[in-house]
Tab-separated table of all heavy atoms in Angstrom:
chain	number	residue	atom	x	y	z
A	1	GLU	N	-11.526	4.904	-5.960
A	1	GLU	CA	-10.868	5.925	-6.768
A	1	GLU	C	-9.621	6.371	-5.998
A	1	GLU	O	-9.716	7.193	-5.096
A	1	GLU	CB	-11.801	7.103	-7.001
A	1	GLU	CG	-13.073	6.737	-7.748
A	1	GLU	CD	-14.036	7.902	-7.831
A	1	GLU	OE1	-13.578	9.072	-7.922
A	1	GLU	OE2	-15.250	7.647	-7.791
A	2	PRO	N	-8.450	5.803	-6.335
A	2	PRO	CA	-7.233	6.158	-5.602
A	2	PRO	C	-6.638	7.488	-6.074
A	2	PRO	O	-6.832	7.894	-7.214
A	2	PRO	CB	-6.283	5.004	-5.924
A	2	PRO	CG	-6.721	4.527	-7.259
A	2	PRO	CD	-8.214	4.753	-7.319
A	3	SER	N	-5.928	8.146	-5.152
A	3	SER	CA	-5.209	9.371	-5.507
A	3	SER	C	-3.973	9.504	-4.622
A	3	SER	O	-3.875	8.867	-3.571
A	3	SER	CB	-6.108	10.601	-5.338
A	3	SER	OG	-6.481	10.765	-3.988
A	4	ASP	N	-3.055	10.326	-5.080
A	4	ASP	CA	-1.838	10.651	-4.323
A	4	ASP	C	-1.064	9.413	-3.883
A	4	ASP	O	-0.493	9.394	-2.786
A	4	ASP	CB	-2.168	11.517	-3.097
A	4	ASP	CG	-2.822	12.831	-3.474
A	4	ASP	OD1	-2.424	13.406	-4.500
A	4	ASP	OD2	-3.740	13.271	-2.755
A	5	MET	N	-1.033	8.380	-4.727
A	5	MET	CA	-0.331	7.153	-4.361
A	5	MET	C	1.169	7.352	-4.553
A	5	MET	O	1.615	7.792	-5.596
A	5	MET	CB	-0.823	5.970	-5.193
A	5	MET	CG	-0.340	4.637	-4.642
A	5	MET	SD	-1.057	3.198	-5.470
A	5	MET	CE	-2.735	3.240	-4.874
A	6	SER	N	1.907	7.044	-3.503
A	6	SER	CA	3.365	7.126	-3.584
A	6	SER	C	3.960	6.032	-2.719
A	6	SER	O	3.286	5.458	-1.863
A	6	SER	CB	3.868	8.499	-3.142
A	6	SER	OG	3.576	8.718	-1.782
A	7	GLY	N	5.219	5.749	-2.975
A	7	GLY	CA	5.863	4.689	-2.226
A	7	GLY	C	7.342	4.936	-2.046
A	7	GLY	O	7.939	5.767	-2.726
A	8	VAL	N	7.903	4.184	-1.109
A	8	VAL	CA	9.326	4.263	-0.829
A	8	VAL	C	9.832	2.857	-0.526
A	8	VAL	O	9.135	2.055	0.111
A	8	VAL	CB	9.613	5.242	0.339
A	8	VAL	CG1	8.970	4.790	1.627
A	8	VAL	CG2	11.089	5.461	0.513
A	9	LEU	N	11.011	2.562	-1.008
A	9	LEU	CA	11.658	1.285	-0.705
A	9	LEU	C	12.272	1.409	0.683
A	9	LEU	O	13.160	2.236	0.907
A	9	LEU	CB	12.734	0.982	-1.757
A	9	LEU	CG	13.454	-0.352	-1.616
A	9	LEU	CD1	12.494	-1.511	-1.891
A	9	LEU	CD2	14.646	-0.404	-2.570
A	10	LEU	N	11.780	0.620	1.646
A	10	LEU	CA	12.294	0.660	3.015
A	10	LEU	C	13.566	-0.152	3.163
A	10	LEU	O	14.453	0.199	3.939
A	10	LEU	CB	11.239	0.134	3.999
A	10	LEU	CG	9.935	0.919	4.083
A	10	LEU	CD1	8.957	0.207	5.003
A	10	LEU	CD2	10.192	2.343	4.547
A	11	ALA	N	13.608	-1.267	2.466
A	11	ALA	CA	14.743	-2.186	2.487
A	11	ALA	C	14.564	-3.094	1.276
A	11	ALA	O	13.479	-3.120	0.682
A	11	ALA	CB	14.738	-3.007	3.777
A	12	PRO	N	15.585	-3.840	0.885
A	12	PRO	CA	15.386	-4.749	-0.243
A	12	PRO	C	14.175	-5.666	0.002
A	12	PRO	O	14.059	-6.293	1.056
A	12	PRO	CB	16.682	-5.548	-0.294
A	12	PRO	CG	17.698	-4.630	0.310
A	12	PRO	CD	16.954	-3.887	1.396
A	13	GLY	N	13.252	-5.661	-0.951
A	13	GLY	CA	12.068	-6.510	-0.844
A	13	GLY	C	10.987	-5.992	0.073
A	13	GLY	O	10.063	-6.724	0.427
A	14	LEU	N	11.032	-4.690	0.453
A	14	LEU	CA	10.044	-4.125	1.377
A	14	LEU	C	9.691	-2.700	0.943
A	14	LEU	O	10.541	-1.810	0.949
A	14	LEU	CB	10.619	-4.113	2.789
A	14	LEU	CG	9.655	-4.044	3.954
A	14	LEU	CD1	8.733	-5.255	3.979
A	14	LEU	CD2	10.436	-3.952	5.255
A	15	VAL	N	8.421	-2.496	0.544
A	15	VAL	CA	7.959	-1.200	0.043
A	15	VAL	C	6.810	-0.703	0.905
A	15	VAL	O	5.909	-1.464	1.260
A	15	VAL	CB	7.496	-1.318	-1.432
A	15	VAL	CG1	6.763	-0.064	-1.887
A	15	VAL	CG2	8.685	-1.594	-2.335
A	16	HIS	N	6.835	0.601	1.220
A	16	HIS	CA	5.751	1.245	1.958
A	16	HIS	C	5.003	2.173	0.999
A	16	HIS	O	5.619	3.034	0.357
A	16	HIS	CB	6.314	2.052	3.130
A	16	HIS	CG	5.269	2.777	3.911
A	16	HIS	ND1	5.428	4.077	4.315
A	16	HIS	CD2	4.058	2.388	4.362
A	16	HIS	CE1	4.355	4.459	4.988
A	16	HIS	NE2	3.507	3.453	5.021
A	17	LEU	N	3.682	1.989	0.894
A	17	LEU	CA	2.840	2.836	0.053
A	17	LEU	C	1.896	3.661	0.912
A	17	LEU	O	1.423	3.184	1.956
A	17	LEU	CB	1.976	1.991	-0.896
A	17	LEU	CG	2.688	1.104	-1.903
A	17	LEU	CD1	1.659	0.357	-2.744
A	17	LEU	CD2	3.631	1.904	-2.779
A	18	THR	N	1.612	4.881	0.475
A	18	THR	CA	0.580	5.708	1.097
A	18	THR	C	-0.278	6.292	-0.019
A	18	THR	O	0.220	6.573	-1.123
A	18	THR	CB	1.172	6.858	1.939
A	18	THR	OG1	2.017	7.650	1.126
A	18	THR	CG2	1.944	6.314	3.132
A	19	PHE	N	-1.566	6.471	0.276
A	19	PHE	CA	-2.490	7.013	-0.724
A	19	PHE	C	-3.830	7.290	-0.074
A	19	PHE	O	-4.058	6.944	1.088
A	19	PHE	CB	-2.660	6.038	-1.895
A	19	PHE	CG	-3.140	4.668	-1.510
A	19	PHE	CD1	-4.483	4.322	-1.621
A	19	PHE	CD2	-2.254	3.712	-1.038
A	19	PHE	CE1	-4.921	3.052	-1.274
A	19	PHE	CE2	-2.684	2.447	-0.688
A	19	PHE	CZ	-4.019	2.117	-0.805
A	20	GLU	N	-4.695	7.930	-0.836
A	20	GLU	CA	-6.075	8.151	-0.420
A	20	GLU	C	-7.000	7.467	-1.413
A	20	GLU	O	-6.638	7.270	-2.568
A	20	GLU	CB	-6.415	9.646	-0.383
A	20	GLU	CG	-5.726	10.388	0.736
A	20	GLU	CD	-6.252	11.808	0.915
A	20	GLU	OE1	-7.268	12.192	0.283
A	20	GLU	OE2	-5.637	12.539	1.702
A	21	THR	N	-8.186	7.110	-0.934
A	21	THR	CA	-9.212	6.597	-1.837
A	21	THR	C	-10.538	7.266	-1.524
A	21	THR	O	-10.774	7.751	-0.408
A	21	THR	CB	-9.432	5.069	-1.708
A	21	THR	OG1	-9.866	4.766	-0.381
A	21	THR	CG2	-8.177	4.296	-2.062
A	22	ILE	N	-11.382	7.276	-2.536
A	22	ILE	CA	-12.779	7.643	-2.367
A	22	ILE	C	-13.579	6.435	-2.828
A	22	ILE	O	-13.307	5.862	-3.884
A	22	ILE	CB	-13.142	8.896	-3.181
A	22	ILE	CG1	-12.377	10.101	-2.637
A	22	ILE	CG2	-14.650	9.135	-3.153
A	22	ILE	CD1	-12.579	11.380	-3.422
A	23	LEU	N	-14.534	6.054	-2.018
A	23	LEU	CA	-15.452	4.966	-2.359
A	23	LEU	C	-16.844	5.466	-2.010
A	23	LEU	O	-17.185	5.580	-0.822
A	23	LEU	CB	-15.128	3.685	-1.584
A	23	LEU	CG	-16.028	2.492	-1.873
A	23	LEU	CD1	-15.799	1.977	-3.296
A	23	LEU	CD2	-15.790	1.387	-0.876
A	24	GLY	N	-17.607	5.807	-3.027
A	24	GLY	CA	-18.895	6.443	-2.776
A	24	GLY	C	-18.642	7.806	-2.153
A	24	GLY	O	-17.938	8.634	-2.713
A	25	GLU	N	-19.161	8.026	-0.962
A	25	GLU	CA	-18.976	9.290	-0.251
A	25	GLU	C	-17.860	9.216	0.790
A	25	GLU	O	-17.573	10.212	1.445
A	25	GLU	CB	-20.290	9.681	0.452
A	25	GLU	CG	-21.439	9.930	-0.493
A	25	GLU	CD	-21.184	11.131	-1.395
A	25	GLU	OE1	-20.717	12.165	-0.896
A	25	GLU	OE2	-21.436	11.006	-2.616
A	26	ARG	N	-17.239	8.054	0.928
A	26	ARG	CA	-16.243	7.853	1.985
A	26	ARG	C	-14.827	8.054	1.450
A	26	ARG	O	-14.414	7.421	0.484
A	26	ARG	CB	-16.378	6.452	2.581
A	26	ARG	CG	-15.411	6.202	3.691
A	26	ARG	CD	-15.604	4.881	4.359
A	26	ARG	NE	-16.089	3.849	3.470
A	26	ARG	CZ	-16.170	2.580	3.789
A	26	ARG	NH1	-15.809	2.174	4.970
A	26	ARG	NH2	-16.608	1.697	2.923
A	27	ARG	N	-14.083	8.934	2.133
A	27	ARG	CA	-12.671	9.158	1.793
A	27	ARG	C	-11.826	8.545	2.901
A	27	ARG	O	-12.117	8.682	4.087
A	27	ARG	CB	-12.385	10.645	1.669
A	27	ARG	CG	-10.994	10.925	1.140
A	27	ARG	CD	-10.862	12.347	0.651
A	27	ARG	NE	-11.145	13.314	1.669
A	27	ARG	CZ	-10.236	14.106	2.237
A	27	ARG	NH1	-8.981	14.041	1.862
A	27	ARG	NH2	-10.588	14.969	3.152
A	28	THR	N	-10.782	7.847	2.485
A	28	THR	CA	-9.947	7.106	3.425
A	28	THR	C	-8.481	7.289	3.082
A	28	THR	O	-8.120	7.332	1.907
A	28	THR	CB	-10.292	5.595	3.359
A	28	THR	OG1	-11.697	5.430	3.412
A	28	THR	CG2	-9.681	4.834	4.503
A	29	ARG	N	-7.645	7.369	4.114
A	29	ARG	CA	-6.191	7.385	3.927
A	29	ARG	C	-5.675	5.984	4.217
A	29	ARG	O	-6.127	5.317	5.146
A	29	ARG	CB	-5.544	8.404	4.846
A	29	ARG	CG	-5.884	9.813	4.424
A	29	ARG	CD	-4.985	10.838	5.040
A	29	ARG	NE	-5.293	12.129	4.441
A	29	ARG	CZ	-5.477	13.227	5.135
A	29	ARG	NH1	-5.344	13.211	6.444
A	29	ARG	NH2	-5.759	14.355	4.518
A	30	HIS	N	-4.703	5.559	3.406
A	30	HIS	CA	-4.192	4.196	3.497
A	30	HIS	C	-2.675	4.186	3.629
A	30	HIS	O	-1.982	5.032	3.069
A	30	HIS	CB	-4.545	3.409	2.226
A	30	HIS	CG	-6.004	3.308	1.975
A	30	HIS	ND1	-6.745	2.205	2.312
A	30	HIS	CD2	-6.869	4.196	1.417
A	30	HIS	CE1	-8.002	2.402	1.962
A	30	HIS	NE2	-8.105	3.604	1.416
A	31	SER	N	-2.210	3.161	4.316
A	31	SER	CA	-0.788	2.869	4.422
A	31	SER	C	-0.650	1.366	4.289
A	31	SER	O	-1.355	0.611	4.966
A	31	SER	CB	-0.269	3.330	5.791
A	31	SER	OG	1.086	2.988	5.967
A	32	SER	N	0.221	0.927	3.395
A	32	SER	CA	0.411	-0.508	3.245
A	32	SER	C	1.889	-0.823	3.064
A	32	SER	O	2.652	-0.009	2.554
A	32	SER	CB	-0.407	-1.067	2.074
A	32	SER	OG	-0.012	-0.483	0.854
A	33	ILE	N	2.244	-2.004	3.507
A	33	ILE	CA	3.607	-2.493	3.342
A	33	ILE	C	3.533	-3.732	2.469
A	33	ILE	O	2.747	-4.644	2.723
A	33	ILE	CB	4.260	-2.814	4.698
A	33	ILE	CG1	4.383	-1.526	5.517
A	33	ILE	CG2	5.635	-3.466	4.490
A	33	ILE	CD1	4.925	-1.716	6.904
A	34	TRP	N	4.348	-3.726	1.420
A	34	TRP	CA	4.417	-4.833	0.472
A	34	TRP	C	5.755	-5.522	0.627
A	34	TRP	O	6.789	-4.873	0.758
A	34	TRP	CB	4.243	-4.309	-0.951
A	34	TRP	CG	2.815	-3.934	-1.218
A	34	TRP	CD1	2.169	-2.817	-0.774
A	34	TRP	CD2	1.869	-4.700	-1.938
A	34	TRP	NE1	0.869	-2.840	-1.193
A	34	TRP	CE2	0.659	-3.982	-1.913
A	34	TRP	CE3	1.923	-5.915	-2.614
A	34	TRP	CZ2	-0.496	-4.445	-2.531
A	34	TRP	CZ3	0.777	-6.372	-3.238
A	34	TRP	CH2	-0.416	-5.642	-3.193
A	35	ARG	N	5.717	-6.846	0.613
A	35	ARG	CA	6.923	-7.656	0.795
A	35	ARG	C	7.083	-8.566	-0.414
A	35	ARG	O	6.131	-9.198	-0.859
A	35	ARG	CB	6.781	-8.474	2.081
A	35	ARG	CG	7.955	-9.348	2.387
A	35	ARG	CD	7.953	-9.792	3.821
A	35	ARG	NE	6.940	-10.814	4.090
A	35	ARG	CZ	6.878	-11.494	5.230
A	35	ARG	NH1	7.727	-11.238	6.206
A	35	ARG	NH2	5.941	-12.395	5.412
A	36	LYS	N	8.310	-8.624	-0.915
A	36	LYS	CA	8.585	-9.481	-2.069
A	36	LYS	C	8.860	-10.894	-1.588
A	36	LYS	O	9.740	-11.128	-0.759
A	36	LYS	CB	9.783	-8.956	-2.863
A	36	LYS	CG	9.989	-9.700	-4.158
A	36	LYS	CD	11.067	-9.035	-4.997
A	36	LYS	CE	11.154	-9.734	-6.344
A	36	LYS	NZ	12.126	-9.072	-7.206
A	37	GLY	N	8.098	-11.835	-2.139
A	37	GLY	CA	8.263	-13.236	-1.792
A	37	GLY	C	9.328	-13.906	-2.637
A	37	GLY	O	9.848	-13.328	-3.595
A	38	ASP	N	9.650	-15.109	-2.282
A	38	ASP	CA	10.619	-15.894	-3.037
A	38	ASP	C	9.984	-16.441	-4.311
A	38	ASP	O	8.793	-16.764	-4.343
A	38	ASP	CB	11.120	-17.074	-2.203
A	38	ASP	CG	11.915	-16.615	-0.994
A	38	ASP	OD1	12.526	-15.537	-1.074
A	38	ASP	OD2	11.919	-17.334	0.025
A	39	GLY	N	10.780	-16.555	-5.352
A	39	GLY	CA	10.341	-17.204	-6.588
A	39	GLY	C	9.139	-16.541	-7.210
A	39	GLY	O	9.067	-15.329	-7.360
A	40	ALA	N	8.143	-17.350	-7.537
A	40	ALA	CA	6.970	-16.876	-8.264
A	40	ALA	C	5.994	-16.091	-7.388
A	40	ALA	O	5.049	-15.506	-7.896
A	40	ALA	CB	6.242	-18.063	-8.902
A	41	ALA	N	6.208	-16.094	-6.071
A	41	ALA	CA	5.270	-15.415	-5.173
A	41	ALA	C	5.161	-13.928	-5.493
A	41	ALA	O	4.090	-13.353	-5.432
A	41	ALA	CB	5.679	-15.612	-3.715
A	42	GLY	N	6.258	-13.299	-5.872
A	42	GLY	CA	6.225	-11.878	-6.220
A	42	GLY	C	5.870	-10.998	-5.035
A	42	GLY	O	6.002	-11.387	-3.875
A	43	TRP	N	5.405	-9.801	-5.348
A	43	TRP	CA	5.063	-8.814	-4.329
A	43	TRP	C	3.691	-9.105	-3.736
A	43	TRP	O	2.725	-9.319	-4.465
A	43	TRP	CB	5.094	-7.416	-4.935
A	43	TRP	CG	6.496	-6.960	-5.167
A	43	TRP	CD1	7.228	-7.121	-6.307
A	43	TRP	CD2	7.348	-6.318	-4.232
A	43	TRP	NE1	8.475	-6.603	-6.137
A	43	TRP	CE2	8.589	-6.097	-4.868
A	43	TRP	CE3	7.191	-5.906	-2.918
A	43	TRP	CZ2	9.652	-5.474	-4.231
A	43	TRP	CZ3	8.256	-5.277	-2.281
A	43	TRP	CH2	9.467	-5.071	-2.937
A	44	ARG	N	3.627	-9.071	-2.404
A	44	ARG	CA	2.370	-9.309	-1.695
A	44	ARG	C	2.206	-8.297	-0.565
A	44	ARG	O	3.186	-7.897	0.066
A	44	ARG	CB	2.345	-10.714	-1.097
A	44	ARG	CG	2.271	-11.805	-2.146
A	44	ARG	CD	2.249	-13.145	-1.494
A	44	ARG	NE	1.801	-14.149	-2.428
A	44	ARG	CZ	1.480	-15.375	-2.079
A	44	ARG	NH1	1.544	-15.752	-0.816
A	44	ARG	NH2	1.076	-16.240	-2.978
A	45	MET	N	0.963	-7.917	-0.320
A	45	MET	CA	0.683	-6.991	0.763
A	45	MET	C	0.870	-7.707	2.100
A	45	MET	O	0.226	-8.712	2.367
A	45	MET	CB	-0.742	-6.440	0.663
A	45	MET	CG	-1.051	-5.394	1.728
A	45	MET	SD	-2.776	-4.861	1.696
A	45	MET	CE	-2.774	-3.798	0.266
A	46	TYR	N	1.733	-7.147	2.927
A	46	TYR	CA	2.052	-7.709	4.239
A	46	TYR	C	1.224	-7.038	5.344
A	46	TYR	O	0.801	-7.672	6.293
A	46	TYR	CB	3.547	-7.537	4.490
A	46	TYR	CG	4.020	-7.954	5.850
A	46	TYR	CD1	4.153	-9.299	6.168
A	46	TYR	CD2	4.342	-7.014	6.809
A	46	TYR	CE1	4.589	-9.690	7.420
A	46	TYR	CE2	4.777	-7.399	8.055
A	46	TYR	CZ	4.904	-8.731	8.363
A	46	TYR	OH	5.337	-9.118	9.603
A	47	TYR	N	1.012	-5.731	5.202
A	47	TYR	CA	0.294	-4.971	6.229
A	47	TYR	C	-0.498	-3.858	5.557
A	47	TYR	O	-0.049	-3.263	4.574
A	47	TYR	CB	1.285	-4.350	7.221
A	47	TYR	CG	0.624	-3.488	8.263
A	47	TYR	CD1	0.027	-4.048	9.387
A	47	TYR	CD2	0.573	-2.109	8.120
A	47	TYR	CE1	-0.596	-3.258	10.339
A	47	TYR	CE2	-0.047	-1.305	9.066
A	47	TYR	CZ	-0.631	-1.886	10.166
A	47	TYR	OH	-1.251	-1.103	11.105
A	48	HIS	N	-1.675	-3.565	6.107
A	48	HIS	CA	-2.505	-2.476	5.583
A	48	HIS	C	-3.240	-1.818	6.726
A	48	HIS	O	-3.711	-2.490	7.645
A	48	HIS	CB	-3.512	-3.022	4.560
A	48	HIS	CG	-4.355	-1.952	3.967
A	48	HIS	ND1	-5.674	-1.778	4.286
A	48	HIS	CD2	-4.060	-0.984	3.066
A	48	HIS	CE1	-6.165	-0.767	3.611
A	48	HIS	NE2	-5.197	-0.260	2.868
């Protein structure tokens, strides 16, 4: 159950997301970096 998801473009083809999740009784804060690939690859998670 995600909440407070937001993101910022760090550079062309590079996005940083932050958010929280609840899974059962566990709450977790997340940070991920998404990188845009060439052609059909599209956006992919690079770091989490």
Side-chain angles (χ1 to χ4, degrees):
E1 299 174 34
S3 63
D4 300 322
M5 192 173 288
S6 64
V8 62
L9 183 68
L10 298 175
L14 201 62
V15 169
H16 178 224
L17 299 180
T18 57
F19 57 98
E20 290 190 9
T21 61
I22 295 176
L23 180 68
E25 297 295 316
R26 182 175 32 171
R27 188 164 59 110
T28 312
R29 290 196 173 133
H30 300 261
S31 176
S32 61
I33 296 176
W34 286 76
R35 180 163 74 170
K36 188 173 185 177
D38 294 331
W43 286 91
R44 291 180 164 191
M45 184 185 284
Y46 175 76
Y47 177 81
H48 182 253

